[in-house]
């Protein structure tokens, strides 16, 4: 289980999950109908207004964000 405290944490989780599925950034982008550049920016934790606001909201409300993907050991 991975807990997220920053947008770079989410990017790392996305990258790890993508790699675990054997997908390139381009393949994932094609599946989602977005650009490879968008995938690269998400994985690198590039700041966006949405991400900043999301983490501000989480901190203000005490909400924790976590993720688990197929094949990962469950705790």
């Amino acid at each position: 289980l991975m807990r997220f405290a920053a947008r770079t944490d989410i990017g790392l989780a996305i990258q790890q999950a993508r790699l675990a599925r054997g997908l390139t950034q381009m393949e994932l982008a094609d599946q989602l109908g977005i650009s490879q550049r968008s995938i690269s920016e998400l994985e690198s934790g590039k700041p966006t207004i949405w991400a900043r606001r999301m983490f501000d909201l989480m901190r203000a409300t005490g909400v924790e964000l976590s993720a688990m993907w197929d094949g990962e050991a469950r705790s």
Side-chain angles (χ1 to χ4, degrees), residues 1-2 8-9 12 16 25 35 37 44 46 57 65:
L1 185 63
M2 183 177 222
T8 52
D9 295 343
L12 179 60
Q16 289 176 347
Q25 287 184 346
S35 69
R37 180 180 177 181
S44 70
K46 182 175 180 179
L57 285 166
L65 181 63

Side-chain angles (χ1 to χ4, degrees), residues 41-58:
E41 289 175 351
L42 286 167
E43 289 184 356
S44 70
K46 182 175 180 179
T48 65
I49 290 171
W50 179 87
R52 283 192 299 267
R53 287 185 180 160
M54 177 62 72
F55 280 96
D56 288 345
L57 285 166
M58 289 169 46

Side-chain angles (χ1 to χ4, degrees), residues 4-26:
F4 304 117
R7 62 184 175 268
T8 52
D9 295 343
I10 293 174
L12 179 60
I14 291 169
Q15 182 185 53
Q16 289 176 347
R18 174 181 60 78
L19 293 172
R21 288 180 171 72
L23 294 171
T24 65
Q25 287 184 346
M26 193 66 202

